[in-house]
Amino acid sequence: MITYDDFLKLDLRIGKILEVTVHPNADKLYLLKVDIGEKTISLVAGLRAAYTPEELQGKSAAILVNLEPRDIRGVASEGMLLAAKSAETMSILTSDREIPAGSVIK
C-alpha cells in the first residue's frame, strides 16, 4: 500500500500526442512527442501491437510526467503514457471531454 502523500507525488497530466514514429531498435515500440502544456516531452511506448501511428496522432492521453527519465533501447523516455491492458485489448487512458494539454489529473 502507498500513502495518500505518496500518491500526491505523482504528476499526472493530459498530454496531446503530436508525433508518432517507429522505434529504430524495437519491433513493439513507438517514439512519441507529447505536449504536456508548458513543454513537449519524448516518450517510448509499447503500443505498436494495439495502435497505428495514425490512431495515436492527435489523441489526448493520461501521462505521468515526473517519472525519472529512462533509456529504452537507446532512446530517452521522459515520462509514461498510461494504458489499460487485458488479455485481448490495450487501451490508452483518455479524457471523455476535450481538455487542454497540461491539465492536471487529480
Side-chain angles (χ1 to χ4, degrees):
M1 301 290 278
I2 66 168
T3 67
Y4 186 73
D5 288 337
D6 288 335
F7 174 75
L8 291 175
K9 293 175 186 177
L10 301 176
D11 187 357
L12 297 166
R13 299 188 201 176
I14 294 295
K16 183 165 184 146
I17 301 171
L18 304 174
E19 184 179 315
V20 183
T21 56
V22 172
H23 193 297
N25 301 320
D27 294 337
K28 298 179 182 180
L29 303 176
Y30 283 130
L31 306 178
L32 308 176
K33 296 287 184 195
V34 180
D35 175 4
I36 58 164
E38 75 277 357
K39 66 181 180 175
T40 299
I41 62 172
S42 298
L43 302 179
V44 177
L47 298 171
R48 280 181 63 185
Y51 291 92
T52 66
E54 295 78 21
E55 289 174 311
L56 292 171
Q57 183 95 27
K59 281 208 181 277
S60 293
I63 308 291
L64 176 59
V65 300
N66 65 335
L67 187 63
E68 183 177 348
R70 183 173 176 198
D71 184 278
I72 301 176
R73 293 275 186 109
V75 177
S77 187
E78 302 173 284
M80 181 181 289
L81 182 144
L82 302 182
K85 183 178 180 186
S86 71
E88 304 84 29
T89 306
M90 181 177 288
S91 178
I92 65 171
L93 301 182
T94 62
S95 61
D96 66 346
R97 295 187 176 146
E98 192 66 32
I99 191 161
S103 295
V104 175
I105 298 170
K106 294 185 175 191

